[in-house]
Amino acid sequence: MRTETNSRAFLILLVMLSMLGPMTLNILVPSLPGMVDSLKASKESVQLTLSLYLLGMAVGQLMLGPLADRFGRRPVLLVALVLYVLSSLAAFLAPNVEMLIVARILQSFGATAGITLGRTMIRDLYSRDSAASMIAYVTMAMVIAPMVSPVLGATIDDLFGWRAILLFCSVLGFMSFVIAAPILPETRPESLVAATAGDVARRSMELLGDRRFMSFWGAGAFCSGMFFAFLGTAPYLMIEVLGRPKTEYGLWFMTLSLGYMAGNFVSGRFAPSLGGERLIFWGNVVGLVGALLILAGAITGWLHPLALFIPAMVASFGNGLVLPSSIAAGVGINPLAAGAGSGLLGFGQMGLGAVASYLGGKLVTGTAMPLAIIMTVCAVLALASGWLSRRED
């Protein structure tokens, strides 16, 4: 049953729950180079704690959306929070990199629930363009987590070691559960209450055959791929190649969050008047500009934080324009499959992000050329998908 709730308190709660995923992703990133020596593991295996975390978020969203359509938003989200706490403790205690990777995958399943079900719950309550606006405002506040988490993670690492970061995550997850359990509402529409597992599966498969849904899927997924390629590559370029401290990487990373917040603000302010398709298209144009700027720096051989993070900030601004509208539009294709739609969209963003992150980390050299190529390819594909979404009007 849907329950009435104060909209402001509801959105604040969704912001808090949505922060867990990106915070847990980014808080460990500055520690990746140091974890190679600490765990006596290869760079590639340590990189899997990031890329498989992203893949776990992708698969988790694919599962959580249909589960929320079948059993309700509230119970699925609360169970996911319990999983997050337990897996964070397991990661803290992991004796080797293999066990850490397994724990991080489980941690990602729990962490992604707030993102997937938060936007589903918004779409339950608001019209499409209004939902895009609300998602943008929630994301604008939520982005504080990835803005500060690299600096926070680097600071905890310097003071107590990288394992303390995972203990911090478990405490934060427990606090989130304690706050959410008594006040989190159920927003699932009445029409879904009697839906069988077969109904949910059929509606999910229908979305994959919908050209309009897939155009929104591609616009968001390839747009996200640019960001995650940068996330998997930038720490090594900054810390190993340029010899900059982990805390400096965290400070530079804030520029990406600022760019994304600015794009979210524009989306929140203008989505109802300009329309989602227009914001998706021009956001992907901006993303392509950012990717081409990194490519220009790589071609000229200029490797400097400014050559990396200023173009990435431009691309992040484009992401902030694209993602709220692509999510709201995709989830709204079939309101009876809102959870499944949200999960499929999240799977695309995180799944492609995992691939881009892994490729970026594996192919990184003493230059930014591999990063620039990956970002440019993703930007072109995102722009093509954004154009298709307009053609499908």
Side-chain angles (χ1 to χ4, degrees):
M1 295 288 292
R2 181 182 300 192
T3 60
E4 296 298 327
T5 184
N6 179 275
S7 59
R8 180 174 297 180
F10 174 65
L11 291 176
I12 291 173
L13 177 61
L14 291 187
V15 168
M16 181 189 71
L17 296 175
S18 298
M19 280 182 173
L20 280 181
M23 186 217 67
T24 309
L25 169 68
N26 290 287
I27 197 169
L28 204 59
V29 169
S31 299
L32 294 182
M35 289 165 62
V36 172
D37 294 330
S38 174
L39 293 169
K40 296 180 174 56
S42 67
K43 183 185 74 173
E44 289 77 14
S45 61
V46 170
Q47 181 70 24
L48 288 175
T49 65
L50 173 64
S51 55
L52 289 185
Y53 178 94
L54 285 168
L55 185 59
M57 290 186 75
V59 175
Q61 292 187 73
L62 198 62
M63 298 167 57
L64 287 166
L67 285 173
D69 284 343
R70 179 68 180 88
F71 298 106
R73 319 316 191 197
R74 173 185 161 83
V76 172
L77 205 159
L78 292 178
V79 170
L81 285 175
V82 173
L83 175 62
Y84 175 82
V85 173
L86 295 177
S87 57
S88 296
L89 287 173
F92 168 69
L93 298 170
N96 51 52
V97 70
E98 291 81 12
M99 293 301 295
L100 178 61
I101 290 170
V102 172
R104 283 280 283 175
I105 293 172
L106 294 174
Q107 187 187 44
S108 70
F109 288 167
T112 194
I115 301 173
T116 308
L117 302 186
R119 62 197 184 197
T120 303
M121 294 169 86
I122 289 174
R123 193 62 184 90
D124 288 339
L125 301 174
Y126 298 93
S127 65
R128 191 185 78 172
D129 287 337
S130 294
S133 180
M134 298 306 296
I135 290 172
Y137 285 132
V138 168
T139 307
M140 185 172 63
M142 183 191 77
V143 82
I144 295 172
M147 179 188 294
V148 303
S149 55
V151 176
L152 177 61
T155 302
I156 295 174
D157 188 347
D158 287 340
L159 293 175
F160 306 107
W162 62 266
R163 289 184 183 274
I165 297 172
L166 297 163
L167 183 60
F168 171 81
C169 290
S170 67
V171 173
L172 194 61
F174 177 75
M175 292 173 58
S176 299
F177 179 86
V178 169
I179 294 171
I183 64 174
L184 185 70
E186 178 59 72
T187 65
R188 184 175 58 159
E190 295 284 354
S191 55
L192 280 178
V193 172
T196 66
D199 292 333
V200 172
R202 176 179 52 79
R203 292 165 183 166
S204 300
M205 294 305 297
E206 286 174 352
L207 287 175
L208 294 175
D210 189 300
R211 289 182 61 190
R212 187 151 173 76
F213 176 83
M214 293 307 298
S215 69
F216 293 127
W217 184 94
F222 290 112
C223 177
S224 295
M226 288 191 292
F227 169 77
F228 288 116
F230 188 87
L231 189 67
T233 307
Y236 292 98
L237 292 176
M238 282 286 289
I239 297 168
E240 292 191 350
V241 178
L242 295 177
R244 305 298 179 102
K246 289 176 288 186
T247 49
E248 183 180 348
Y249 166 80
L251 293 171
W252 276 106
F253 187 85
M254 288 185 179
T255 61
L256 275 67
S257 299
L258 290 172
Y260 191 55
M261 287 179 70
N264 287 151
F265 175 79
V266 173
S267 292
R269 178 67 179 82
F270 295 107
S273 58
L274 295 180
E277 286 82 2
R278 188 174 298 174
L279 287 173
I280 291 169
F281 178 77
W282 288 108
N284 280 323
V285 170
V286 173
L288 178 60
V289 170
L292 292 176
L293 288 174
I294 290 183
L295 181 61
I299 291 173
T300 60
W302 183 41
L303 184 59
H304 185 276
L306 287 172
L308 293 172
F309 284 92
I310 299 304
M313 181 174 68
V314 173
S316 294
F317 176 78
N319 281 16
L321 296 178
V322 172
L323 292 178
S325 291
S326 65
I327 291 168
V331 170
I333 291 291
N334 182 359
L336 295 180
S342 179
L344 288 168
L345 291 163
F347 174 80
Q349 292 163 23
M350 296 302 172
L352 188 62
V355 173
S357 171
Y358 179 75
L359 288 176
K362 186 174 180 60
L363 300 177
V364 64
T365 62
T367 76
M369 184 58 73
L371 169 64
I373 292 173
I374 295 171
M375 288 186 67
T376 301
V377 170
C378 286
V380 170
L381 293 173
L383 181 60
S385 297
W387 179 81
L388 179 61
S389 74
R390 302 183 76 193
R391 297 283 295 178
E392 289 292 314
D393 272 336

